[in-house]
Amino acid sequence: MLSPPDPLIAVKGLAKTYPGGPPVLRDVSLSIRDGESVALIGANGSGKSTLLKCLVGLHDISGGSVAALGERFQTRPGATQRRAIRRQTGFVFQHHGLVRRLSALSNVVHGFLGQPGSWRAFCQSLAPQSWREAAQETLGAVNLAHKAEARVDALSGGQAQRVAIARALVGKPRLLIADEPTASLDPAAGHDVMGLFCELARNENITLIFTSHDMDHAQRYGERIVALKDGGIHFDKPSGEVRDGDLAGVFDG
Amino acid sequence: MADTTAPRPARPVSRFESVSAMRFALLVGVGAFVIAAITDVSPSPQRVAEGMPRILSLLDRMLPPETDPAFLQRMGWRLVETMQIAVAGTAIGVLLSLPIAWISARGVTPAPALSYVAKGLVSLFRTVPDLVWALIFVVSVGLGAVAGTMTIIVDTIGFCGRFFAEAMEDADTQPQEALAATGASRFNILCAAVIPDAMPSLINTTLFALEMAVRSSVVLGLVGAGGIGQELKSAFDLFQYQKASAIILAVFVIVLAMEWLTDRLRKQVS
């Protein structure tokens, strides 16, 4: 009998404490299969963003271990591991994190900055033609091909977030992480962005992990919901099986 | 019935805020130093009155400014050399300031351990006056424009190194974190996120540095570091006051033109 494939992400007993503060995460264990779409929910300060940042080594971990995209580490990934993980990961932040004074196209080309020979990606006019074409194509996929030359500070919040999604997708990642990607958008733009996000991830068979305060988003766009409370996992269920009773206290700060 | 709970009249507000004994002593000390300085080294009305005829006599000997074509041509070339010292010194200084500012900028530096060394170097370059640097370079590389250019380079690093670092520290950190998450190196983050975000501030600082360099390069010649200052010094040394006034007039026009130009460029950037 064939053994099941290794999960794309396996977190074991993860703990995180910021210097001088209380524990943010305690004994979190979680595994995510290739191609899954997982919603992380919880109140402010429940540790959602910290967990996501620990997965790619943006934050050191205080205890336990993480295995992500074939790289296993404790405390923090080594330089080679970090590069390997981040090259295969697209990360979208709550506030788009784009360089406002540059064009949408330049910002999408920045998605190649983790690739070998990446110094040419800091400016779209120096980037190889294949990267520029890929960036233009990805902007088309988020319906912003016509804004390629527009500066980010001239775009709306929803458009800027779509550019950030294009930047995360342009390097063809295996894993897409989105930390409250709709929190700074109005509800309509939020649904547009999430719908687009999930469609693109599904089409490319990309594993998706996103955090949200919005139960409707979590149930609609996540196949599985993981709720964090007080730094630990409160429940971990397929989204169709989550009942109102499960949510009691999840969003209380 | 009379209201017995009426508030008592408030205590009159003091004209002066109360100060601690230490602050009071400090204020008295600073005040005493200012008064002593004014009495010791500032010009007394008597000295001014005595000097006035000599100033008027000097002005009389300076006018009209020299217009001999051969002199004007030589002065023109010296002015070109002065501008070359300013432009070359600023350009090289700005290029060298970028890596120094990067190393010294908190939160952006690739080598936090070296941050204090870079900051110390910038402080040294800034605090020693340009004429002192000019004297050092005249002794080490000889008289002439090269010593002047080296002085402007050091001066520019002292100024731009500090303000470039502050601009880099103030750059938006969200794009930096987002690019770090793509696997970008610190150098890539500097080029792709920090410099574009800080660009208006970097350009402003560079224009101020150029303005300062033009003003400095005029006087560097007084200690033999090339440029129009050398011509001005020899005019004064040889009592050729009409030539001196022509040079002062030309310098006034050049510095004013440079201020006008950099002001316009700054407005465009902002």
Side-chain angles (χ1 to χ4, degrees):
Chain A
M1 197 175 116
L2 284 172
S3 60
D6 283 344
L8 194 74
I9 288 173
V11 175
K12 281 193 188 141
L14 177 68
K16 171 69 185 174
T17 306
Y18 291 106
V24 180
L25 293 171
R26 41 186 131 206
D27 198 22
V28 171
S29 295
L30 181 69
S31 91
I32 296 172
R33 293 190 319 276
D34 207 357
E36 245 186 327
S37 165
V38 178
L40 270 179
I41 61 169
N44 280 336
S46 60
K48 305 185 298 290
S49 300
T50 302
L51 175 57
L52 295 185
K53 288 176 181 175
C54 287
L55 295 181
V56 294
L58 281 174
H59 286 341
D60 290 352
I61 59 181
S62 315
S65 68
V66 171
L69 299 143
E71 305 291 335
R72 187 184 178 79
F73 63 91
Q74 293 172 323
T75 312
R76 74 177 72 101
T80 317
Q81 287 183 312
R82 196 170 58 227
R83 264 197 301 276
I85 293 171
R86 293 182 186 176
R87 271 180 195 160
Q88 300 178 74
T89 307
F91 207 125
V92 178
F93 293 82
Q94 179 179 344
H95 300 286
H96 50 72
L98 300 171
V99 185
R100 292 168 196 275
R101 294 176 47 78
L102 297 181
S103 68
L105 188 66
S106 282
N107 273 284
V108 178
V109 168
H110 285 171
F112 286 110
L113 278 172
Q115 308 294 326
S118 62
W119 68 271
R120 293 175 68 188
F122 76 81
C123 171
Q124 64 96 0
S125 42
L126 289 178
Q129 187 61 21
S130 59
W131 289 3
R132 300 178 74 243
E133 282 167 7
Q136 183 67 44
E137 199 180 306
T138 317
L139 270 177
V142 296
N143 306 321
L144 280 177
H146 60 295
K147 293 284 187 184
E149 286 173 25
R151 265 173 55 151
V152 168
D153 48 14
L155 300 179
S156 69
Q159 287 174 330
Q161 198 58 300
R162 282 191 275 153
V163 174
I165 292 172
R167 179 180 61 189
L169 287 171
V170 74
K172 305 235 173 281
R174 286 175 68 196
L175 170 66
L176 196 51
I177 295 177
D179 187 9
E180 298 192 28
T182 60
S184 56
L185 305 178
D186 62 58
H191 273 294
D192 282 352
V193 163
M194 277 311 297
L196 182 69
F197 218 164
C198 292
E199 187 193 328
L200 293 170
R202 214 172 20 247
N203 292 347
E204 303 284 331
N205 194 34
I206 298 170
T207 308
L208 175 64
I209 311 173
F210 65 95
T211 63
S212 183
H213 277 120
D214 187 332
M215 228 7 243
D216 179 40
H217 277 185
Q219 285 193 301
R220 193 185 295 198
Y221 303 111
E223 295 165 2
R224 181 176 148 201
I225 297 179
V226 177
L228 286 178
K229 192 177 176 201
D230 300 329
I233 291 186
H234 183 59
F235 69 77
D236 179 353
K237 291 182 174 182
S239 53
E241 293 175 16
V242 176
R243 302 286 168 257
D244 286 350
D246 295 325
L247 299 172
V250 168
F251 292 106
D252 296 342
Chain B
M1 199 174 125
D3 183 3
T4 53
T5 60
R8 282 189 297 178
R11 216 171 45 164
V13 178
S14 164
R15 279 180 191 277
F16 304 104
E17 283 179 33
S18 61
V19 289
S20 66
M22 176 64 93
R23 185 174 285 192
F24 183 72
L26 209 67
L27 279 173
V28 170
V30 169
F33 185 76
V34 171
I35 291 167
I38 290 172
T39 10
D40 285 352
V41 294
S42 66
S44 64
Q46 190 194 354
R47 286 286 289 273
V48 173
E50 279 170 12
M52 196 52 82
R54 284 199 291 273
I55 292 174
L56 291 174
S57 151
L58 181 62
L59 278 176
D60 185 45
R61 277 180 286 165
M62 283 175 122
L63 295 174
E66 178 67 70
T67 52
D68 171 42
F71 165 74
L72 290 181
Q73 193 184 17
R74 198 173 70 238
M75 185 181 80
W77 282 118
R78 283 296 197 180
L79 281 173
V80 169
E81 188 185 66
T82 308
M83 291 302 290
Q84 283 179 322
I85 291 172
V87 170
T90 309
I92 299 171
V94 163
L95 286 178
L96 293 176
S97 294
L98 283 169
I100 293 174
W102 182 36
I103 291 169
S104 63
R106 222 181 22 248
V108 184
T109 175
L114 289 178
S115 168
Y116 288 103
V117 177
K119 275 195 173 125
L121 188 72
V122 169
S123 294
L124 175 74
F125 285 0
R126 193 177 57 250
T127 47
V128 176
D130 50 2
L131 279 181
V132 177
W133 285 117
L135 282 170
I136 292 170
F137 291 128
V138 164
V139 170
S140 47
V141 300
L143 290 167
V146 175
T149 307
M150 289 174 77
T151 305
I152 299 293
I153 291 173
V154 168
D155 231 20
T156 304
I157 295 174
F159 181 72
C160 290
R162 176 183 171 184
F163 290 107
F164 282 7
E166 285 182 7
M168 288 177 186
E169 286 170 4
D170 291 343
D172 189 357
T173 54
Q174 286 170 356
Q176 297 172 41
E177 189 181 33
L179 295 188
T182 68
S185 66
R186 281 188 179 270
F187 179 68
N188 279 337
I189 293 171
L190 173 80
C191 296
V194 178
I195 289 182
D197 200 49
M199 192 53 91
S201 180
L202 300 185
I203 293 176
N204 258 336
T205 305
T206 301
L207 290 173
F208 272 121
L210 181 62
E211 211 176 296
M212 281 168 41
V214 171
R215 247 178 277 135
S216 294
S217 60
V218 167
V219 293
L220 294 181
L222 298 180
V223 292
I228 191 75
Q230 228 155 298
E231 205 68 37
L232 184 63
K233 184 172 184 298
S234 59
F236 269 108
D237 287 349
L238 301 171
F239 308 111
Q240 295 169 332
Y241 296 120
Q242 288 179 326
K243 285 186 178 172
S245 66
I247 293 168
I248 291 169
L249 208 63
V251 165
F252 173 70
V253 171
I254 293 278
V255 173
L256 215 61
M258 187 52 76
E259 281 181 8
W260 176 81
L261 184 71
T262 51
D263 264 354
R264 282 197 63 135
L265 289 172
R266 257 193 298 275
K267 277 186 190 128
Q268 286 215 332
V269 173
S270 61

